[in-house]
Structure formats: structure tokens, C-alpha cells
Amino acid sequence: MQKVLAVAGAVTALAAAAAVVWKVLRWGRRISDGAKCQLRSEMLRIYYHHRETATIRQYEYENFVYCYEAYTALGGNSFIGKIYGEIKQWEVIS
């Protein structure tokens, strides 16, 4: 009987731990998705602000590159990759 209770207690503890891990993973995924959304928004803002002139200030270009690297590390899509390819062709001014 004691072995059955010990096994039941262990199963209950494992289930509780799994539930906590699952909640943490879901929470982390939501934070990751939110960060991706903010990065994408900032990169699109920079792109559409300078698209007409095809020129970009040095600090904005560097900011775009930092955002792009973070975005791709979080699993961003190829749409922003195409925009990045276009921005790399622009004139960078100081």
C-alpha cells in the first residue's frame, strides 16, 4: 500500500511540474511573439519612412540591422528579409 501511495505521489508531483513547465513555455512563446511583432513594426516604420528616397541615416540603418538580427533569431519570416535586402542597396548617409 505504501508503494502505491508513493507512486501516486510521484505521479502527482510530475504532473504538477509538467503543468508549471507548460505554463512557462506558453508565457515565453507569447513574449517572443510580442517581441517579434514590435521588431517587425519598427523595421517596417523605418522602411516606409525612407522608401521614396532610398536613403537612410547611419544610426537608422544600424538600428534596422540590430532589429533584423533579433527578428530572425526569433524565427521571423522572409518578408522582412526581402525588405532588408532592399535596404542594403540604399545610400547610407551620416
Side-chain angles (χ1 to χ4, degrees):
M1 184 67 164
Q2 287 180 339
K3 288 184 181 182
V4 172
L5 290 176
V7 169
V11 169
T12 302
L14 285 174
V20 169
V21 168
W22 178 253
K23 285 181 182 181
V24 168
L25 290 175
R26 280 187 25 218
W27 182 69
R29 176 63 186 229
R30 289 178 182 156
I31 290 173
S32 173
D33 288 346
K36 258 193 321 193
C37 183
Q38 287 181 321
L39 290 165
R40 180 183 171 106
S41 176
E42 176 63 11
M43 289 183 288
L44 289 175
R45 185 197 65 75
I46 291 170
Y47 172 74
Y48 286 117
H49 184 76
H50 297 286
R51 183 174 63 162
E52 295 292 321
T53 62
T55 61
I56 189 168
R57 294 192 182 276
Q58 177 71 33
Y59 73 91
E60 288 177 304
Y61 179 76
E62 290 172 2
N63 188 45
F64 188 95
V65 171
Y66 290 140
C67 287
Y68 177 75
E69 290 171 354
Y71 183 76
T72 56
L74 291 170
N77 62 23
S78 61
F79 170 70
I80 294 294
K82 291 176 185 176
I83 288 175
Y84 177 56
E86 187 176 329
I87 287 177
K88 288 194 308 186
Q89 304 301 317
W90 292 357
E91 179 186 357
V92 177
I93 55 178
S94 40

